[in-house]
């Protein structure tokens, strides 16, 4: 393991918070972490004078990773401050719409991929290795369960917010 200050996050399995005091070391330590645990998600905060602020940034960014599961397992706060604020915003009085997909992993994966691929049917179907008709069926199931049609841009934004908020 790396010889840097770190501590486990209680209740989160193998998740670790690593404290890096020198910005120059961050990229080197990330590379080393990727060698040791290639499947680990890595969330990087901005340099902050207050460790609690840095911790909150890293946790918020990790929630973005868990919610959207982008292709890259490394995400930096400086790249997603809008998504962090967007995910924390209380935009609806309704219960979290995405929680209705919690028991259907294939629908959550479909929604994530559809978001990542900017609503492209072809690219999403290719990424999921499914036929376009299967994708259409899954998108209709998402609409049936959530009341929001992912093929409608404004409703896809609502679903994206719901997905982000679900991981807060």
């Amino acid at each position: 393991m790396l010889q840097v200050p770190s501590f486990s996050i209680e209740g989160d399995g193998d998740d670790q918070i690593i404290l890096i005091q020198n910005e120059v070391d961050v990229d080197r330590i990330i590379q080393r972490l990727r060698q040791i645990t290639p499947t680990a998600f890595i969330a990087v905060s901005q340099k902050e004078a207050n460790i609690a602020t840095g911790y909150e940034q890293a946790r918020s960014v990790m929630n973005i990773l868990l919610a959207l599961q982008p292709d890259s397992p490394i995400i930096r706060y400086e790249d997603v401050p809008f998504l962090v604020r967007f995910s924390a915003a209380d935009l609806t009085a309704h219960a979290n719409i995405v929680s209705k997909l919690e028991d259907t992993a294939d629908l959550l994966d479909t929604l994530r991929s559809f978001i990542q691929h900017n609503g492209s049917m072809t690219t999403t179907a290719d990424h999921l290795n499914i036929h376009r008709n299967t994708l259409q069926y899954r998108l209709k199931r998402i609409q049936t369960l959530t009341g929001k049609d992912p093929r409608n841009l404004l409703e896809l934004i609502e679903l994206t917010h719901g997905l982000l908020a679900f991981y807060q």
Side-chain angles (χ1 to χ4, degrees), residues 85-146:
R85 289 189 308 276
F86 185 56
S87 66
D90 184 13
L91 300 177
T92 180
H94 308 308
N96 190 327
I97 56 175
V98 173
S99 66
K100 297 171 183 175
L101 304 177
E102 188 175 15
D103 295 329
T104 52
D106 62 328
L107 296 182
L108 275 173
D109 290 342
T110 299
L111 179 59
R112 286 181 179 120
S113 184
F114 196 65
I115 291 167
Q116 288 173 16
H117 296 102
N118 302 311
S120 168
M121 297 291 289
T122 302
T123 309
T124 301
D126 289 347
H127 177 256
L128 295 172
N129 200 26
I130 59 175
H131 192 276
R132 281 178 53 103
N133 291 346
T134 302
L135 177 58
Q136 286 282 9
Y137 170 77
R138 288 184 185 180
L139 294 174
K140 285 179 185 174
R141 287 272 301 134
I142 290 170
Q143 180 180 7
T144 300
L145 292 171
T146 66

Side-chain angles (χ1 to χ4, degrees), residues 82-93 161-162 164-166 168:
F82 171 79
L83 288 178
V84 170
R85 289 189 308 276
F86 185 56
S87 66
D90 184 13
L91 300 177
T92 180
H161 176 265
L164 292 168
F166 186 67
Q168 284 297 308

Side-chain angles (χ1 to χ4, degrees), residues 20-29:
I20 303 169
Q21 296 158 332
N22 183 350
E23 284 183 272
V24 175
D25 294 336
V26 172
D27 290 332
R28 181 182 55 78
I29 291 173

Side-chain angles (χ1 to χ4, degrees), residues 5-118:
S6 66
F7 57 93
S8 295
I9 301 172
E10 192 172 320
D12 283 353
D14 295 331
D15 295 345
Q16 297 276 315
I17 296 289
I18 298 173
L19 305 175
I20 303 169
Q21 296 158 332
N22 183 350
E23 284 183 272
V24 175
D25 294 336
V26 172
D27 290 332
R28 181 182 55 78
I29 291 173
I30 288 173
Q31 284 180 340
R32 183 74 178 117
L33 275 171
R34 299 295 300 145
Q35 291 171 348
I36 295 169
T37 55
T39 59
F41 284 153
I42 300 172
V44 181
S45 74
Q46 293 179 325
K47 181 179 178 183
E48 297 289 344
N50 181 330
I51 193 170
T53 302
Y55 172 81
E56 285 303 316
Q57 287 178 1
R59 286 293 287 179
S60 295
V61 171
M62 181 59 72
N63 291 339
I64 301 295
L65 268 172
L66 293 172
L68 298 180
Q69 298 184 3
D71 291 335
S72 173
I74 302 167
I75 193 167
R76 296 173 184 267
Y77 180 87
E78 63 199 36
D79 296 332
V80 293
F82 171 79
L83 288 178
V84 170
R85 289 189 308 276
F86 185 56
S87 66
D90 184 13
L91 300 177
T92 180
H94 308 308
N96 190 327
I97 56 175
V98 173
S99 66
K100 297 171 183 175
L101 304 177
E102 188 175 15
D103 295 329
T104 52
D106 62 328
L107 296 182
L108 275 173
D109 290 342
T110 299
L111 179 59
R112 286 181 179 120
S113 184
F114 196 65
I115 291 167
Q116 288 173 16
H117 296 102
N118 302 311

